[in-house]
Amino acid sequence: MMSEVNERKILTITKNDNVLDLVKIKVRLDEHFYIFSRFMISRMLTLSRIKKLDAIQIAKDIKKQLIDRNSLEISSNELEAIIFQTMNKFGYQNNIQKYQMVSNFYRHRTPMIIIIFGAPSIGKSLLANNLAERLNISNVLQTDIVEMVMRSINPEQFNYDQNEDFITKFKKNCRLIRRGVSTDISKCLSEGKAVIIEGSAAMPEYYLEAIDKQDPQNDEQQLQLITSFTQNDIKLKKPQRKDLLLFNQQIKLNTQFKIIFPQPDQDLEDDQQIQKHLKLCKDLNKIDQSHSMILGFLPILSRNDHLYNIENNTSKKIPKDLIEEKLNQYQSIQNELLKQRSKCILLPINLHNLEETLDTMHDIILQKILDQST
């Protein structure tokens, strides 16, 4: 009996939602108009740190109000007033300013590039895809996919000297992949789009530079805490993870970064490659990045948690006898990336609570949007 009641409730909700969506409402914006979207409103509300279910309900309530008033055409200012009234009704009056800032940020088509660096098998793809859903970003660029495409077109370019050490080959690979993502980055900057770039084949020094060329200084106390964390000397509880995150975070948020393209390597590239390289540098330098929002994250894992991820990675199953070797390689990549921590915000991952890590990233991005909007 109870099951039948629940089924009727679900059918009623679905039916009511379908009826709401049958009614099209025009929203005037200057000389243009767009069709009101509950989905887009709920996404903007979620980005403003409103709970997902509440955001959906608020968007539904707004659409219902408009239909009840027979407001089938409305100005953007009138719609905004209704949104704020409804947010207040649901107890989110403190989020109104955030919504205004976020809405203004997207309205001005501000380019947004979020780069998630990090060693293999720490959960970058999972973080990137979940973050993209929260921020309503449709474009997630994976350096692993870019590498696969580049290898299929010209595998010879990945033939490195086998006598070179692992990190040297890793850095050369990152430099090569940087060329492969250049078109997507330039398009994002020039057309005012948003993208999340993630992958192991990426190093901060090949992507980010402070506009005044003065990267924030690293902190030795921070380095000691990081070293203890990554080598399992200490177990970080939530307040300690927050303390580690806060080291230099505000300085990095206040620092305006720009996207760079590394200068050609005379020892590795022939004349034709150097000319192509220089053209990419020149094209990127023509783009005004002063109003772009560019932010780098460096997620890190302790050695034990990294081992757990490697052992339980179903997409890249590693034979048991090679796990220790891979762990050492991946940890060496993490250590190399940590040398460039001044260019990005450290993110000690809570392996057992993905939402905590996502909330942290969400709050930092929102803070960056608010800072750039003021």
Side-chain angles (χ1 to χ4, degrees):
M1 183 68 180
M2 185 63 70
S3 176
E4 291 178 7
V5 171
N6 289 335
E7 285 180 12
R8 283 200 297 271
K9 284 183 178 179
I10 292 170
L11 286 171
T12 302
I13 292 170
T14 306
K15 184 179 179 181
N16 289 339
D17 282 1
N18 289 339
V19 170
L20 288 176
D21 289 333
L22 287 174
V23 181
K24 305 298 180 186
I25 295 173
K26 290 183 178 180
V27 182
R28 295 191 307 277
L29 181 61
D30 298 326
E31 297 178 357
H32 308 280
F33 74 88
Y34 61 90
I35 301 299
F36 175 89
S37 167
R38 286 194 297 137
F39 173 77
M40 290 302 298
I41 293 292
S42 66
R43 279 298 179 86
M44 293 291 284
L45 291 167
T46 304
L47 180 52
S48 306
R49 295 301 276 126
I50 290 176
K51 294 177 182 177
K52 187 174 182 179
L53 291 178
D54 287 345
I56 293 171
Q57 192 59 42
I58 290 171
K60 180 181 176 182
D61 191 279
I62 292 167
K63 182 72 177 279
K64 190 173 184 305
Q65 288 182 57
L66 293 172
I67 293 174
D68 290 345
R69 298 176 188 181
N70 200 30
S71 300
L72 301 183
E73 187 170 327
I74 188 173
S75 72
S76 59
N77 290 335
E78 290 170 327
L79 174 60
E80 199 168 67
I82 294 172
I83 291 172
F84 296 158
Q85 289 170 9
T86 311
M87 289 173 68
N88 191 64
K89 183 173 77 172
F90 278 78
Y92 284 104
Q93 56 272 16
N94 294 332
N95 296 68
I96 289 175
Q97 184 184 11
K98 292 178 182 178
Y99 183 92
Q100 288 175 308
M101 295 294 187
V102 168
S103 179
N104 186 58
F105 179 84
Y106 276 98
R107 189 180 298 124
H108 285 86
R109 295 180 63 83
T110 305
M112 178 163 62
I113 298 179
I114 298 166
I115 309 177
I116 303 176
F117 302 100
S121 293
I122 63 170
K124 296 180 300 300
S125 297
L126 190 61
L127 287 172
N129 290 324
N130 279 273
L131 189 64
E133 185 178 348
R134 285 191 179 205
L135 303 181
N136 194 31
I137 294 176
S138 59
N139 191 9
V140 177
L141 185 61
Q142 296 177 302
T143 61
D144 292 349
I145 302 298
V146 174
E147 180 175 353
M148 286 173 57
V149 173
M150 292 178 70
R151 282 183 181 275
S152 67
I153 295 172
N154 183 10
E156 289 78 17
Q157 62 186 325
F158 291 91
N159 292 336
Y160 305 122
D161 187 345
Q162 294 304 311
N163 294 321
E164 291 177 323
D165 63 85
F166 176 75
I167 289 299
T168 300
K169 286 186 280 190
F170 165 73
K171 293 176 76 170
K172 286 184 177 180
N173 199 57
C174 290
R175 189 183 182 89
L176 195 56
I177 302 306
R178 174 63 185 87
R179 191 189 307 162
V181 301
S182 59
T183 302
D184 292 272
I185 289 176
S186 295
K187 188 174 182 180
C188 172
L189 290 170
S190 59
E191 297 181 6
K193 294 184 177 181
V195 64
I196 296 177
I197 302 171
E198 69 85 11
S200 305
M203 296 189 73
E205 67 175 299
Y206 298 151
Y207 288 83
L208 300 175
E209 179 181 271
I211 282 184
D212 60 5
K213 297 190 177 180
Q214 293 293 320
D215 287 350
Q217 293 296 310
N218 286 324
D219 189 297
E220 287 305 314
Q221 186 181 356
Q222 180 195 39
L223 180 58
Q224 292 173 10
L225 190 56
I226 293 166
T227 304
S228 296
F229 167 64
T230 55
Q231 294 180 0
N232 302 320
D233 292 338
I234 59 172
K235 280 286 186 181
L236 292 184
K237 295 181 180 178
K238 185 173 181 178
Q240 292 172 307
R241 284 195 299 274
K242 190 173 182 181
D243 287 343
L244 178 55
L245 183 71
L246 288 174
F247 271 118
N248 287 339
Q249 176 185 315
Q250 196 57 47
I251 298 174
K252 288 167 189 170
L253 282 174
N254 292 336
T255 302
Q256 182 74 6
F257 285 94
K258 67 177 181 179
I259 295 290
I260 61 164
F261 197 87
Q263 291 299 311
D265 190 323
Q266 306 286 343
D267 297 329
L268 297 177
E269 298 172 296
D270 58 32
D271 289 341
Q272 186 178 6
Q273 289 173 325
I274 289 173
Q275 290 306 312
K276 287 181 179 179
H277 202 123
L278 289 172
K279 185 179 185 305
L280 289 171
C281 292
K282 187 177 179 180
D283 291 344
L284 184 60
N285 289 335
K286 289 178 182 177
I287 302 172
D288 179 14
Q289 299 187 43
S290 58
H291 300 292
S292 302
M293 200 205 95
I294 296 162
L295 199 57
F297 287 100
L298 178 54
I300 56 175
L301 273 180
S302 67
R303 186 175 178 86
N304 284 344
D305 284 345
H306 212 161
L307 174 61
Y308 176 86
N309 264 12
I310 293 171
E311 290 176 333
N312 293 275
N313 190 338
T314 55
S315 62
K316 296 179 182 178
K317 203 65 179 174
I318 296 173
K320 286 186 177 181
D321 58 327
L322 295 179
I323 286 178
E324 187 68 23
E325 179 186 348
K326 286 296 180 184
L327 175 62
N328 290 332
Q329 288 179 345
Y330 293 173
Q331 284 276 292
S332 67
I333 290 175
Q334 179 167 279
N335 292 335
E336 187 66 29
L337 293 171
L338 280 168
K339 294 177 184 177
Q340 300 171 32
R341 64 189 183 279
S342 64
K343 297 179 182 291
C344 40
I345 293 174
L346 287 178
L347 197 67
I349 294 177
N350 181 358
L351 198 61
H352 310 290
N353 189 346
L354 177 67
E355 288 301 310
E356 178 191 307
T357 305
L358 284 167
D359 285 345
T360 300
M361 298 176 78
H362 193 156
D363 287 338
I364 290 170
I365 292 165
L366 184 57
Q367 185 60 51
K368 184 71 172 176
I369 289 174
L370 297 180
D371 288 346
Q372 289 199 202
S373 300
T374 54

